[in-house]
Amino acid sequence: MFYLGWIFLWLVTGERIKGFNISGCSTKKYLWTYSAKSEEEFVLFCDLSDPQISYSHHRNPLSSSQALTSLPCSGNKDLSDVQWYLQPQNGDTLRKITKNYSHIIMDNITLHFLTNDVNNAGSYVCRPKIRSLQDEACCIKMVLEVKPKTNISCVNSVPHKRYLLLGSTDSIYCPSLGCQSDTHSPEVTWYQNGRLLSDKRSNPMLLDEIYDYHQGIYACDYTQSDNASSWIVRAVVQVKTIVKDTTLKPDILEPVKDTLEVELGKPLTLYCTARFGFENGFKPVIRWYSKDSDQQLEISTEGRSVKTTFKDKILECVVRLKEVTQSDFHKTFICFAQNSIGNTTQSIRLRKKKKVIFLYILLGTIMTLVGVLMAGVLLFMYWIELVLLCRTYQDKDETVGDKKEFDAFVSYAKCCSFESEATSSVSEENLALNLFPEVLENKYGYTLCLAERDVTPGGVYAEDIVSVIRKSRRGIFILSPNYVNGPSVFELQAAVNLALDDQTLKLILIKFSSFQEPESLPHFVRKALRVLPTVTWRGLKSVPLNSRFWTQMLYLMPVKKLTWNHLRISQKFFHWKDSVKQKPLRRASSLRHGDMDPETPPSLSWQVKTLVARTHNVDQADLKWTVCCQP
């Protein structure tokens, strides 16, 4: 379908060209006189915007066919995109000018002729590519006649290439008027890159001050008539704006170093890059030489222009070696650059690269970095375990000589612990009176201070608590809503006050459950809750000895020299822990006469009796008064 569309378009276009009537086009006649020895160019402009103004001064009353009328192009919006057609001088049919013409270049409204030949003669027609049916007559027909110059003495009088120095004052001469005197010089119309210069009518065209925008292709037209007809004689001048010639030698940009490490047997490319200042009429020289002993030879190279500006030009010369041989290490490669001022050289020698396996070095570096990173992560994750491991092999005991009786004082909510018995298999009281003694005392050899066990009844409660805290190295506080809102928070306040004066007393907070700080809590206690080390209790997950809870507790406890008896794991403790998960405690009636549960470790008999008594309705009120409200 795509090819059918192209065929249809080609047929329609061919019909339109075949039916294109050029008799209605505005007609101009141009004469191109050239010299066979000169390399001059010629251009035609398709000026559809306002042709009557552009060519009104060329009218000749002797030739009625040359009179121009206004073209019907006023309604066409885009007059810069045009199509060119050629009708050869031999009368062949009109055909499009495409890119297949090697001697003609189309550049929008400009048609460039690269060669001067009489075969370029013919009729050239241009019209807009996009047009309406009413604009069929919107076209210009240019009849071109090409003739060689007959006056040999005036062939090279005016060049077709003109160099203008930036910032100076200069003139541009029309080459076709080089043999005529100023008195007989006709009126000239000048164009720059297809644009009419309406204020320039004389030859030469004077430029007050040269700028870079003066560069381009200039065309000069004047009318030449005889008895039969008149022609527009056109000549083209290529103008280039330049700066003053340089006074410096070339500057070699590459190579920079005088040695280059290469591998034997590998291909090699050497670049010689140099900057040349502007010089009018001098061609820069850049090449490579190889010097071996006393012999210097030029190397076959590839050259190209890298960058060109008004002031300078950067050229590059490349030499390619298929493989580096042993003899290349004894040669000196010389980059050579020369202009009219002088020459500059830069030498470079090849040096054999050491056989270092870069990939292994890279992999080793990456592996080292990964190892350091992993070691840092492991150290961060298991820092506590590493500290405990070091303590095991260190002969250190910080409790020696401190004159303290207890390793840790344990504080918990004593009044309301029975409320949590129904909802949790391990309560605050169970943790403080059963688990802590069994693990910290029986397994690891720490001495705990429990108010129910180690404080003698009958004394002043506040003074007794302050006294046992003074005798302790650590303070363990089991925090919960019942604790921070109950009377037991007094023990935390007293411990914070004592820790400010006693540097050996350190406090450990256990977050048993979430709570909100009451407004009545002193400011220094609130601050202590934010800065003191806190261990989170996670229910049954924290009961096993290998849990994170016990690891953190051991890390915060005092450093002691443990014995092998303290390192043994009590099988009875684990059996009792499983029984707590599977079945409830027996009623107090079975233990009231001092009988001990065979599943409970002997060291926990008093605590378990108290716990069971709390769960019994008869003794509940009496026990609460005994624990919480004694004077």
Side-chain angles (χ1 to χ4, degrees):
M1 196 68 185
F2 177 76
Y3 294 105
L4 292 176
W6 274 106
I7 292 173
F8 175 75
L9 181 61
W10 178 78
L11 292 174
V12 172
T13 307
E15 289 296 326
R16 293 187 63 184
I17 296 175
K18 185 177 180 181
F20 178 28
N21 186 8
I22 64 175
S23 61
C25 298
S26 174
T27 304
K28 304 293 292 182
K29 290 184 178 181
Y30 289 94
L31 176 62
W32 176 14
T33 59
Y34 68 92
S35 174
K37 295 183 180 181
S38 64
E39 297 179 358
E40 58 183 276
E41 296 182 6
F42 192 79
V43 293
L44 290 176
F45 303 123
C46 183
D47 191 3
L48 294 169
S49 58
D50 196 358
Q52 194 167 10
I53 296 177
S54 302
Y55 300 107
S56 59
H57 61 282
H58 291 149
R59 292 179 183 176
N60 189 351
L62 299 177
S63 177
S64 59
S65 62
Q66 285 294 104
L68 297 178
T69 58
S70 298
L71 296 178
C73 298
S74 58
N76 201 300
K77 297 181 179 179
D78 190 4
L79 297 177
S80 61
D81 190 12
V82 299
Q83 176 62 55
W84 287 89
Y85 302 89
L86 169 62
Q87 187 175 27
Q89 199 172 17
N90 56 13
D92 289 347
T93 57
L94 189 70
R95 59 176 181 267
K96 277 186 179 181
I97 298 178
T98 61
K99 296 181 179 179
N100 296 329
Y101 287 77
S102 59
H103 64 288
I104 299 177
I105 297 178
M106 291 186 298
D107 184 13
N108 293 331
I109 64 171
T110 306
L111 204 63
H112 294 262
F113 294 84
L114 303 180
T115 59
N116 45 14
D117 192 355
V118 292
N119 294 327
N120 291 328
S123 297
Y124 294 87
V125 182
C126 67
R127 65 174 179 175
K129 290 183 179 180
I130 302 175
R131 58 192 178 278
S132 60
L133 295 176
Q134 293 78 11
D135 290 338
E136 286 297 326
C138 180
C139 56
I140 297 178
K141 176 183 175 182
M142 287 161 274
V143 180
L144 177 61
E145 184 176 350
V146 183
K147 295 181 181 180
K149 288 184 179 180
T150 56
N151 192 351
I152 305 300
S153 61
C154 296
V155 168
N156 297 321
S157 58
V158 178
H160 289 269
K161 290 185 179 180
R162 181 75 170 149
Y163 296 94
L164 302 180
L165 184 63
L166 289 171
S168 64
T169 301
D170 211 330
S171 301
I172 301 176
Y173 291 83
C174 183
S176 58
L177 295 175
C179 296
Q180 297 187 19
S181 61
D182 295 340
T183 57
H184 298 89
S185 179
E187 184 178 299
V188 180
T189 302
W190 288 93
Y191 295 88
Q192 181 187 9
N193 299 326
R195 181 176 58 88
L196 174 66
L197 304 178
S198 57
D199 57 336
K200 306 295 183 182
R201 298 291 182 180
S202 61
N203 179 52
M205 180 176 60
L206 180 64
L207 301 177
D208 295 333
E209 186 174 0
I210 308 301
Y211 294 95
D212 54 356
Y213 60 79
H214 286 126
Q215 181 170 292
I217 298 177
Y218 288 78
C220 56
D221 294 352
Y222 67 94
T223 304
Q224 184 177 2
S225 304
D226 55 19
N227 296 329
S229 61
S230 65
W231 298 85
I232 298 176
V233 181
R234 171 169 290 180
V236 176
V237 184
Q238 294 183 8
V239 175
K240 182 179 180 180
T241 55
I242 60 174
V243 295
K244 292 182 179 180
D245 288 353
T246 182
T247 58
L248 302 176
K249 295 180 181 181
D251 182 21
I252 295 181
L253 305 178
E254 189 179 1
V256 179
K257 299 181 180 179
D258 55 357
T259 58
L260 178 64
E261 289 189 351
V262 296
E263 295 184 22
L264 184 64
K266 299 289 185 179
L268 177 65
T269 303
L270 296 176
Y271 295 91
C272 176
T273 307
R275 180 189 291 112
F276 295 85
F278 176 79
E279 286 184 297
N280 188 18
F282 184 84
K283 186 177 181 180
V285 178
I286 181 171
R287 57 172 65 101
W288 276 103
Y289 290 99
S290 64
K291 185 178 181 181
D292 188 4
S293 298
D294 296 334
Q295 187 178 9
Q296 181 170 311
L297 300 176
E298 182 179 351
I299 307 176
S300 177
T301 58
E302 302 173 7
R304 68 184 184 95
S305 177
V306 178
K307 184 180 179 181
T308 302
T309 62
F310 288 107
K311 295 182 179 180
D312 54 29
K313 177 187 294 185
I314 298 178
L315 300 180
E316 183 181 74
C317 183
V318 182
V319 58
R320 305 183 189 275
L321 302 179
K322 293 182 179 180
E323 62 177 1
V324 178
T325 61
Q326 192 67 37
S327 61
D328 292 330
F329 293 105
H330 303 288
K331 296 179 181 179
T332 301
F333 294 88
I334 302 173
C335 172
F336 178 85
Q338 182 181 20
N339 62 2
S340 62
I341 307 300
N343 61 74
T344 308
T345 60
Q346 174 65 41
S347 301
I348 183 172
R349 291 184 64 89
L350 303 183
R351 186 172 60 185
K352 188 181 298 185
K353 183 181 293 185
K354 295 180 181 179
K355 293 184 178 181
V356 178
I357 304 177
F358 177 75
L359 181 60
Y360 289 163
I361 296 177
L362 180 62
L363 291 177
T365 305
I366 295 176
M367 293 297 293
T368 303
L369 293 177
V370 172
V372 171
L373 182 61
M374 292 182 63
V377 173
L378 293 175
L379 187 64
F380 176 78
M381 294 176 59
Y382 298 101
W383 172 253
I384 296 178
E385 287 80 355
L386 292 175
V387 173
L388 295 178
L389 182 63
C390 293
R391 289 181 184 179
T392 305
Y393 293 98
Q394 285 182 349
D395 189 12
K396 182 180 179 181
D397 191 344
E398 68 178 37
T399 63
V400 177
D402 60 358
K403 298 180 181 181
K404 292 200 174 185
E405 182 179 351
F406 303 102
D407 290 316
F409 169 77
V410 182
S411 176
Y412 64 97
K414 303 175 182 63
C415 296
C416 305
S417 296
F418 65 93
E419 297 178 0
S420 62
E421 289 291 333
T423 60
S424 176
S425 59
V426 180
S427 64
E428 302 168 58
E429 188 176 19
N430 193 359
L431 176 62
L433 301 182
N434 295 336
L435 293 182
F436 275 169
E438 183 62 30
V439 176
L440 298 180
E441 285 188 338
N442 297 343
K443 177 174 174 53
Y444 294 107
Y446 290 106
T447 303
L448 301 182
C449 177
L450 303 173
E452 291 84 346
R453 182 187 68 181
D454 301 310
V455 177
T456 305
V460 179
Y461 176 75
E463 294 180 357
D464 292 342
I465 293 299
V466 172
S467 176
V468 295
I469 293 176
R470 289 181 185 274
K471 298 177 182 179
S472 303
R473 300 179 181 89
R474 298 289 186 271
I476 302 175
F477 301 90
I478 304 175
L479 304 181
S480 65
N482 295 332
Y483 186 90
V484 297
N485 293 287
S488 298
V489 75
F490 158 74
E491 300 173 2
L492 176 60
Q493 299 178 17
V496 172
N497 285 324
L498 293 175
L500 295 177
D501 298 328
D502 187 359
Q503 299 296 327
T504 61
L505 176 61
K506 295 180 176 58
L507 308 183
I508 305 172
L509 305 180
I510 297 178
K511 187 178 180 181
F512 188 82
S513 59
S514 300
F515 62 90
Q516 187 174 3
E517 298 177 4
E519 297 293 335
S520 60
L521 205 62
H523 172 71
F524 68 93
V525 177
R526 290 187 179 184
K527 189 174 182 180
L529 293 178
R530 296 184 181 93
V531 299
L532 291 177
T534 304
V535 183
T536 303
W537 173 260
R538 304 186 185 278
L540 295 179
K541 294 182 179 179
S542 300
V543 173
L545 292 178
N546 59 354
S547 66
R548 188 71 175 172
F549 175 79
W550 295 113
T551 304
Q552 291 178 300
M553 287 299 299
L554 292 177
Y555 175 75
L556 297 174
M557 291 296 287
V559 180
K560 295 186 67 175
K561 185 177 181 181
L562 303 179
T563 62
W564 288 103
N565 293 331
H566 294 147
L567 293 176
R568 291 182 302 173
I569 300 176
S570 175
Q571 298 296 335
K572 291 184 179 181
F573 169 74
F574 288 106
H575 181 70
W576 168 80
K577 181 186 68 175
D578 295 337
S579 65
V580 171
K581 296 181 181 180
Q582 297 175 4
K583 58 183 179 179
L585 294 173
R586 292 190 294 173
R587 298 183 59 85
S589 59
S590 62
L591 301 173
R592 186 166 296 176
H593 299 289
D595 298 334
M596 185 182 300
D597 190 347
E599 299 180 354
T600 306
S603 61
L604 303 181
S605 59
W606 184 82
Q607 291 90 331
V608 173
K609 286 182 180 181
T610 305
L611 178 62
V612 173
R614 284 193 172 193
T615 60
H616 197 269
N617 295 332
V618 176
D619 301 329
Q620 192 175 41
D622 297 337
L623 183 60
K624 184 183 293 187
W625 171 261
T626 302
V627 176
C628 300
C629 306
Q630 63 178 357

